[in-house]
Amino acid sequence: LKLMEYLCILTKTPTGGIVLDPFMGSGTTGMAAKITGRDFIGIEKEKSYCDIANARIKATQKPLTLF
Protein backbone atom coordinates (compact mmCIF):
# COMPACT_ATOMS: atom_id res chain seq x y z
CA LEU A 1 0.00 0.00 0.00
CA LYS A 2 2.78 2.45 0.89
CA LEU A 3 4.50 1.71 -2.44
CA MET A 4 1.32 2.47 -4.37
CA GLU A 5 0.80 5.68 -2.37
CA TYR A 6 4.34 6.70 -3.31
CA LEU A 7 3.73 5.86 -6.98
CA CYS A 8 0.51 7.91 -7.02
CA ILE A 9 2.52 10.87 -5.74
CA LEU A 10 5.59 10.15 -7.89
CA THR A 11 3.63 10.28 -11.15
CA LYS A 12 2.90 13.93 -10.33
CA THR A 13 -0.81 13.42 -10.86
CA PRO A 14 -2.23 16.57 -9.32
CA THR A 15 -4.58 16.19 -6.38
CA GLY A 16 -7.92 15.57 -7.99
CA GLY A 17 -6.25 13.67 -10.84
CA ILE A 18 -7.39 10.20 -11.93
CA VAL A 19 -5.43 6.98 -11.36
CA LEU A 20 -6.23 4.10 -13.75
CA ASP A 21 -5.60 0.47 -12.79
CA PRO A 22 -6.53 -1.85 -15.69
CA PHE A 23 -5.93 -4.97 -13.57
CA MET A 24 -7.47 -3.96 -10.23
CA GLY A 25 -7.26 -7.23 -8.32
CA SER A 26 -7.97 -6.62 -4.63
CA GLY A 27 -7.91 -2.82 -4.93
CA THR A 28 -4.63 -1.74 -3.37
CA THR A 29 -4.08 0.94 -6.03
CA GLY A 30 -7.60 2.24 -5.40
CA MET A 31 -6.88 2.45 -1.70
CA ALA A 32 -3.67 4.38 -2.39
CA ALA A 33 -5.49 6.74 -4.74
CA LYS A 34 -8.10 7.48 -2.08
CA ILE A 35 -5.47 8.08 0.60
CA THR A 36 -3.54 10.48 -1.67
CA GLY A 37 -6.67 12.37 -2.78
CA ARG A 38 -6.91 11.07 -6.33
CA ASP A 39 -9.94 9.71 -8.16
CA PHE A 40 -9.64 6.11 -9.26
CA ILE A 41 -10.82 3.96 -12.15
CA GLY A 42 -10.29 0.23 -11.69
CA ILE A 43 -10.95 -2.48 -14.24
CA GLU A 44 -11.36 -6.11 -13.19
CA LYS A 45 -13.13 -8.94 -14.99
CA GLU A 46 -13.65 -11.21 -11.95
CA LYS A 47 -16.69 -10.24 -9.88
CA SER A 48 -15.23 -11.74 -6.71
CA TYR A 49 -12.20 -9.43 -6.97
CA CYS A 50 -14.46 -6.45 -7.69
CA ASP A 51 -16.38 -7.20 -4.49
CA ILE A 52 -13.15 -7.48 -2.47
CA ALA A 53 -11.71 -4.28 -3.97
CA ASN A 54 -14.93 -2.36 -3.42
CA ALA A 55 -15.03 -3.34 0.26
CA ARG A 56 -11.34 -2.50 0.81
CA ILE A 57 -11.60 0.89 -0.91
CA LYS A 58 -14.77 1.83 0.98
CA ALA A 59 -13.09 0.91 4.28
CA THR A 60 -10.05 3.09 3.50
CA GLN A 61 -10.09 6.44 5.23
CA LYS A 62 -8.28 9.48 3.94
CA PRO A 63 -5.82 10.66 6.63
CA LEU A 64 -6.62 13.84 8.51
CA THR A 65 -4.63 16.91 7.59
CA LEU A 66 -3.48 18.91 10.58
CA PHE A 67 -2.68 22.56 10.15
Side-chain angles (χ1 to χ4, degrees):
L1 179 57
K2 289 294 184 189
L3 173 62
M4 291 313 298
E5 288 176 36
Y6 174 72
L7 292 174
C8 285
I9 295 166
L10 180 67
T11 59
K12 302 204 187 282
T13 303
T15 300
I18 299 173
V19 176
L20 172 66
D21 185 357
F23 308 101
M24 185 171 57
S26 63
T28 302
T29 303
M31 294 169 64
K34 186 173 182 179
I35 290 168
T36 58
R38 276 95 172 143
D39 289 329
F40 172 73
I41 298 172
I43 301 168
E44 178 56 56
K45 70 177 187 172
E46 300 295 329
K47 184 181 180 328
S48 61
Y49 281 110
C50 288
D51 294 340
I52 292 167
N54 190 36
R56 290 182 75 208
I57 293 167
K58 280 185 177 181
T60 301
Q61 295 183 1
K62 192 173 174 182
L64 295 175
T65 304
L66 302 176
F67 296 95

